[in-house]
């Protein structure tokens, strides 16, 4: 038991490269930074609601998603502390979006190729007979 | 060493003999608080990855159906109240701020502030759910339900015989509020200081649900005229199409007698049936032609009259199509709401621990991990709000 303990201890000490003794590691986020991020997020929310009343045609979805992504990055970097976190955590989190991208792109393009419309129609009124 | 082994063998979870000193919050299989914190954080990030992948399934369904039927999404999105969605976004962003601030307070050991901030985060979560309850109950009353149950009728949007959904949603929250209130009073009477300190903020939190209900009711009634007119504008022709098809199937068509300005009698009667969309457009083209011929308009700019079937207006409010939109809507926002409920659960646990002053600058992991989870829930809403509410 104690032999195992000391082995783990040695390993941890040798693998412990970052700041000091492992007891003083808290990194409180400065309050002005949090408030600024919150203000920007609210401003972006107002922007995204406002832009919905203008017609940008097919760019609509792109604009909306771009604003949402900026907001998501702000939340991630500052509220979720990723800016000061270990890069490994960031890599893990970002890797999930790589797989989401693969999943969504492959599935959507597949459904685009194979099926025009697979919503079961059980209505009395059928309006779109041909595409 | 041998005694140690014996100890752990007989009582693995008990008060085992330590050959090293460590603080109470540090689990004995970790060397330093930092190692403990980093391990927990890594685990939390992996959990968040699974959450992202879990939600991506629903986003994928959304992408496929929006690609197939963009007009269904555009049309049905008019039924969602943008004001309520925007207010809820603001409430969630604010709760994210208070959560990030709470993590800071746990690190700097400001316990009063920590309790207050966790309670504020919880209250915002309750307000979010309250506003959501107003949104849901309003839609259920109108029959805007998932595919299979969708029963919206533009002529009679409010079902008279519908149960009072709002009351049923409020009931459990009212019981929780009363329960906490009674528990608070009894703890004050008994003089249990710890319970009182926990239950005071929790009673306010439970009451916040009704603040959300009030907020939602005010905004919903203030916005009613506008949102309904846009919705009914776009559904007007479908309404008539729905009705006439019903009537046409009976074999008696009052619409041909009511539209007396035309000479294409038989054709118009046929076009009344919504399935004859091509005929409908031909009729439109003929109308435009005769208008040009009589000279009422010199130049017709409406080039969209081309009598092709492609141009036929496609109805989005049929039960199966609109039902699919509302299936996706309820699934995504509903599972998000379940995540909010789970967040409320863990935040209550944090609140009790923060009153107990469990956290310090070496042990703030739980606050940080719950914070990460809470920010992810916020992050998902950041995408849900524009994708569902802001389609035009």
């Amino acid at each position: 038991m104690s032999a195992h303990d000391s082995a783990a201890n040695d390993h941890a000490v040798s693998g412990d490269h970052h700041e000091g003794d492992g007891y003083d590691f808290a990194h409180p986020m400065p309050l002005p930074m949090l408030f600024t991020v919150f203000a920007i997020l609210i401003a972006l929310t107002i922007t995204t609601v406002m832009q919905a009343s203008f017609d940008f045609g097919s760019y609509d979805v792109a604009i909306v998603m771009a604003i949402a992504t900026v907001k998501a990055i702000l939340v991630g970097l500052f509220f979720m502390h990723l800016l000061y976190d270990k890069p490994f955590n960031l890599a893990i989190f970002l890797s999930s979006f790589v797989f989401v991208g693969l999943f969504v792109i492959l599935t959507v393009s597949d459904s685009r190729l194979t099926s025009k419309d697979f919503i079961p129609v059980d209505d009395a009124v059928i309006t779109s007979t041909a595409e | 060493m041998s005694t140690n082994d014996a100890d752990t063998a007989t009582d693995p979870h008990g008060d085992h003999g330590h050959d090293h000193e460590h603080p109470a919050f540090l689990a004995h299989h970790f060397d330093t608080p930092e190692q403990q914190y980093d391990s927990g954080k890594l685990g939390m990030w992996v959990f968040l990855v699974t959450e992202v992948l879990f939600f991506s399934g629903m986003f994928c369904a959304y992408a496929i159906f929006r690609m197939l039927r963009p007009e269904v999404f555009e049309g049905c999105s008019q039924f969602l109240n943008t004001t309520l969605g925007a207010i809820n976004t603001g409430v969630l962003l604010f709760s994210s701020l208070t959560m990030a601030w709470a993590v800071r307070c746990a690190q700097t050991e400001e316990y009063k502030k920590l309790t207050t901030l966790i309670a504020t985060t919880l209250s915002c979560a309750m307000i979010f759910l309250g506003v959501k309850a107003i949104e849901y109950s309003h839609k259920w009353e109108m029959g805007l339900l998932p595919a299979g149950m969708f029963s919206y009728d533009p002529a009679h949007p409010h079902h008279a015989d519908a149960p009072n959904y709002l009351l049923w949603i409020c009931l459990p929250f009212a019981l929780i509020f009363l329960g906490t209130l009674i528990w608070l009073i009894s703890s004050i009477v008994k003089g249990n200081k710890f319970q009182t300190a926990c239950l005071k903020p929790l009673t306010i939190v439970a009451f916040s649900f009704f603040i959300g209900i009030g907020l939602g009711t005010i905004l919903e009634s203030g916005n009613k005229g506008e949102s309904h007119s846009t919705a009914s504008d776009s559904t007007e022709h479908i309404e008539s199409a729905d009705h006439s098809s019903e009537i046409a199937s009976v074999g008696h068509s009052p619409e041909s007698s009511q539209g007396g300005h035309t000479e294409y009698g038989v054709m118009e009667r046929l076009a009344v049936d919504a399935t004859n969309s091509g005929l409908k457009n031909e009729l439109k083209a003929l109308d435009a032609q005769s208008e040009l011929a009589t000279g009422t308009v010199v130049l017709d700019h409406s080039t969209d009259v081309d009598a092709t079937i492609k141009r036929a207006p496609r109805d989005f409010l049929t039960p199966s199509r609109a039902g699919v939109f509302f299936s996706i809507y309820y699934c995504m926002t509903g599972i998000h709401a379940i995540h909010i409920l789970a967040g409320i659960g863990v935040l209550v646990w944090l609140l009790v621990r923060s009153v107990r002053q469990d956290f310090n600058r070496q042990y703030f992991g739980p606050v940080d991990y719950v914070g990460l989870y809470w920010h992810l829930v916020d992050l998902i809403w950041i995408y849900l709000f524009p994708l569902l509410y802001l389609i035009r």
Side-chain angles (χ1 to χ4, degrees), chain B residues 34-315:
Chain B
E34 186 177 16
Q35 190 195 25
Q36 175 171 268
Y37 168 74
D38 284 342
S39 315
K41 196 153 188 174
L42 178 65
M44 200 62 205
W45 276 114
V46 172
F47 169 64
L48 294 190
V49 166
T50 68
E51 286 282 278
V52 169
L53 293 173
F54 167 59
F55 269 94
S56 79
M58 281 172 286
F59 278 103
C60 189
Y62 173 94
I64 289 172
F65 283 106
R66 188 164 176 187
M67 189 193 70
L68 284 172
R69 296 274 156 216
E71 78 281 356
V72 172
F73 278 73
E74 235 171 78
C76 292
S77 174
Q78 309 296 324
F79 288 99
L80 306 185
N81 192 329
T82 310
T83 317
L84 290 185
I87 288 295
N88 257 354
T89 312
V91 167
L92 263 199
L93 285 176
F94 183 72
S95 77
S96 253
L97 170 74
T98 52
M99 193 67 231
W101 194 354
V103 174
R104 185 196 142 89
C105 288
Q107 290 167 334
T108 54
E109 301 173 9
E110 299 162 271
Y111 296 113
K112 270 261 161 59
K113 259 193 195 168
L114 177 62
T115 310
T116 316
L117 285 167
I118 290 174
T120 315
T121 312
L122 273 165
S123 302
C124 285
M126 282 301 210
I127 291 173
F128 180 91
L129 288 179
V131 174
K132 204 97 223 128
I134 290 285
E135 280 188 87
Y136 274 10
S137 60
H138 187 66
K139 283 182 190 61
W140 294 346
E141 272 162 24
M142 300 210 316
L144 294 166
L145 291 163
M149 292 186 279
F150 187 86
S151 60
Y152 178 69
D153 179 4
H156 312 282
H158 295 278
H159 294 197
D161 55 337
N164 194 343
Y165 293 112
L166 188 58
L167 201 70
W168 285 104
I169 301 174
C170 285
L171 195 66
F173 289 95
L175 288 177
I176 290 167
F177 171 63
L178 282 179
T180 22
L181 193 66
I182 291 164
W183 196 0
L184 171 68
I185 292 166
S186 82
S187 73
I188 290 172
V189 171
K190 277 189 208 152
N192 190 331
K193 279 216 175 96
F194 176 70
Q195 273 189 12
T196 312
C198 290
L199 285 164
K200 258 186 198 160
L202 283 178
T203 312
I204 298 167
V205 165
F207 182 71
S208 298
F209 179 78
F210 298 98
I211 298 175
I213 292 279
L215 191 70
T217 313
I218 291 164
L219 291 170
E220 178 87 41
S221 61
N223 212 36
K224 210 165 217 166
E226 192 207 323
S227 71
H228 272 252
S229 71
T230 51
S232 60
D233 265 353
S234 50
T235 62
E236 209 163 344
H237 83 276
I238 289 117
E239 185 184 330
S240 62
D242 270 348
H243 276 261
S244 52
S245 74
E246 269 171 40
I247 294 157
S249 66
V250 180
H252 159 72
S253 167
E255 245 173 66
S256 58
S257 60
Q258 139 196 346
H261 70 284
T262 177
E263 55 264 38
Y264 324 114
V266 179
M267 206 190 256
E268 190 172 71
R269 207 173 300 159
L270 283 172
V272 153
D273 195 326
T275 47
N276 289 334
S277 47
L279 213 54
K280 242 184 196 169
N281 262 21
E282 204 178 322
L283 207 65
K284 228 182 183 179
L286 282 171
D287 261 338
Q289 233 174 35
S290 67
E291 246 185 6
L292 275 170
T294 53
T296 41
V297 280
V298 181
L299 190 62
D300 191 9
H301 285 289
S302 58
T303 49
D304 58 329
V305 192
D306 56 1
T308 56
I309 203 158
K310 246 196 179 144
R311 284 286 182 183
R314 288 199 290 190
D315 297 347

Side-chain angles (χ1 to χ4, degrees), chain B residues 331-348:
Chain B
C331 191
M332 294 182 97
T333 57
I335 287 180
H336 181 264
I338 289 171
H339 277 78
I340 298 269
L341 282 173
I344 287 172
V346 277
L347 277 165
V348 168

Side-chain angles (χ1 to χ4, degrees), chain A residues 9-36:
Chain A
N9 207 19
D10 285 346
H11 175 71
V13 167
S14 62
D16 209 19
H17 290 305
H18 33 258
E19 45 196 287
D21 53 355
Y23 283 87
D24 193 24
F25 57 93
H27 178 274
M29 294 292 277
L31 279 181
M33 184 191 271
L34 291 181
F35 290 134
T36 315

